[in-house]
Every structure is written in C-alpha cells, then in structure tokens.
C-alpha cells in the first residue's frame, strides 16, 4: 500500500498531493480515448440521413478537433442523431463502446452486450443525479463537491477555479436535463465533447 497507494488505497486515504496527482493520471487515461470518440462521430455523420443534422454533426466534430469548446446550443440540436442509428446507445458499435468506456474509466475488455449495459447504467445514473442536482441548485454545493461532480462527468477539475467549474457544471446540467431517456447517448458523448477543450484542460 505504501508503494502502490493509487492501486491499493481508496481515495479517502490519499494525501492532498496524491489526490491531485492521481486524478491527473486517471484523467490522462480517459483523455487518450477522446480523439477516437470524436473520429467515430465524424465517421458516423456520413450515416445520418437528415442533411441538416449530418452537416451539424460533421461541423461539431471539426470544431472540437480544432480546439473549440462547444456550447449547449451546439450540442442539443443533435439529440435526434443520438436516439437512433447510428449513435443511439442500442446502435453503437463495439469499437465506439470500448472508446467511450475508456473515456468514463470503465474497463473496455468485456463482451459488447456487457459494455453496452454498463454504459447505459452509468449514463442513466448520472442523468438521475443531474436531475436531483438541478433541483437542489449548484449554489448549494461546496467547492469540493462541485469539483467532484465535474470530474465524474469528464472534466479534470483539479486545476480549474471554482467559478469556472460551476459554469461548466451549469452547462452540463442544461444539456442533461433537456434529454429524454432515449437520447442519453448524447449525454455519454458529452463527457468528451464538453471536456476536451474547456479552458485549462487543454494541456
């Protein structure tokens, strides 16, 4: 436990410095999947039948790849793309589910049905937490609770100021609370879309 505290000790036993260092390590692991997730979105855009949605999805992928941070107004119009083929949770290909699993720190080394079930379960849980959090209000959370909430949703909040974290979390909740259950694949992809280029996270 002394030699391998990250692997053998739960977070509560980490020192403050270890908490920052280890959270950076975990985020670097999930960040490795970001480009793969974006690349798949760009490929999937060619399968979208609606020309307007196809252009919007392609444009979103290009913007994120070029370093632009998308807003809720950029993301929410694409809900329809993520409720059915090719990007609905029930239609995702195995390669994309493995990339998304790495992006949310789930093991990708499982059969496709189990990967899909775990991704659905996690996304549904976060969506339910988001609705409760929206009712409570972000202002009721402490600075550490806000940072933990952001980190769970894909943002490496350890190096971001409290007000910036609250702004990001508010944007996340705006998206999450607008989605129906059938559209939760968009929330899962937002883990990557909203965190890749946000302020100090571009390191």
């Amino acid at each position: 436990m002394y030699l391998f505290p990250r692997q053998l000790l739960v977070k509560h036993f980490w020192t403050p410095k270890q908490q920052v260092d280890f959270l950076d390590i975990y985020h670097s692991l999930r960040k490795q999947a970001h480009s793969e997730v974006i690349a798949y979105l760009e490929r999937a855009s060619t399968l979208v039948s609606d020309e307007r949605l196809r252009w919007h999805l392609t444009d979103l992928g290009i913007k994120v790849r070029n370093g632009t941070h998308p807003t809720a107004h950029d993301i929410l119009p694409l809900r329809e793309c993520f409720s059915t083929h090719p990007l609905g949770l029930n239609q995702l290909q195995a390669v994309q589910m493995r990339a998304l699993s790495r992006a949310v720190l789930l093991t990708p080394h499982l059969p496709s049905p189990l990967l899909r079930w775990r991704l659905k379960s996690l996304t549904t849980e976060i969506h339910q937490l988001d609705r409760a959090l929206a009712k409570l209000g972000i202002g009721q959370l402490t600075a550490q609770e806000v940072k933990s909430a952001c980190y769970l949703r894909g943002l490496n909040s350890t190096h971001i100021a409290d007000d910036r974290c609250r702004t990001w979390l508010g944007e996340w909740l705006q998206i999450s609370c607008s989605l129906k259950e059938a559209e939760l694949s968009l929330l899962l992809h937002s883990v990557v879309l909203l965190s890749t280029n946000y302020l100090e996270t571009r390191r």
Side-chain angles (χ1 to χ4, degrees):
M1 288 187 290
Y2 178 79
L3 294 174
F4 304 101
R6 180 169 64 88
Q7 292 85 357
L8 299 178
L9 291 178
V10 297
K11 181 179 177 181
H12 299 293
F13 291 101
W14 297 347
T15 67
K17 184 179 185 304
Q18 285 176 333
Q19 290 193 27
V20 173
D21 291 345
F22 295 166
L23 290 177
D24 279 347
I25 290 172
Y26 284 127
H27 184 71
S28 70
L29 293 175
R30 60 186 183 184
K31 191 176 179 180
Q32 291 172 10
H34 285 193
S35 60
E36 189 175 342
V37 171
I38 299 302
Y40 184 85
L41 284 180
E42 292 176 330
R43 292 197 298 271
S45 66
T46 63
L47 303 175
V48 176
S49 57
D50 186 293
E51 184 177 352
R52 178 182 58 85
L53 291 175
R54 182 169 64 248
W55 179 89
H56 196 140
L57 184 58
T58 302
D59 185 60
L60 178 64
I62 292 172
K63 284 181 176 178
V64 174
R65 190 178 291 281
N66 289 338
T68 299
H69 173 67
T71 66
H73 296 295
D74 296 319
I75 293 174
L76 281 174
L78 291 167
R79 287 179 292 185
E80 185 179 338
C81 296
F82 290 83
S83 61
T84 57
H85 179 78
L87 292 169
L89 276 173
N90 290 326
Q91 287 80 33
L92 291 175
Q93 296 182 6
V95 62
Q96 178 66 348
M97 288 193 292
R98 286 194 288 270
L100 287 165
S101 294
R102 296 201 309 275
V104 294
L105 295 177
L106 293 176
T107 178
H109 307 297
L110 294 171
S112 292
L114 191 52
L115 285 178
R116 196 182 313 277
W117 177 80
R118 295 189 76 189
L119 288 171
K120 279 184 178 181
S121 298
L122 176 64
T123 310
T124 299
E125 180 181 348
I126 291 176
H127 189 232
Q128 292 171 346
L129 288 172
D130 289 342
R131 291 185 177 277
L133 180 54
K135 290 181 180 179
L136 175 66
I138 298 175
Q140 300 299 313
L141 300 181
T142 66
Q144 186 55 51
E145 288 171 338
V146 169
K147 285 183 177 290
S148 294
C150 290
Y151 195 91
L152 172 66
R153 291 158 176 81
L155 183 71
N156 187 11
S157 52
T158 54
H159 304 284
I160 300 179
D162 176 64
D163 61 329
R164 299 292 193 177
C165 288
R166 291 179 189 274
T167 298
W168 186 91
L169 187 57
E171 192 170 53
W172 172 280
L173 292 180
Q174 182 182 348
I175 294 172
S176 180
C177 294
S178 300
L179 299 178
K180 301 175 182 177
E181 184 177 351
E183 302 165 338
L184 289 186
S185 179
L186 178 54
L187 190 65
L188 178 59
H189 283 80
S190 291
V191 168
V192 174
L193 293 172
L194 283 181
S195 66
T196 300
N197 299 320
Y198 190 67
L199 301 176
E200 294 91 334
T201 57
R202 292 183 64 191
R203 289 156 59 100

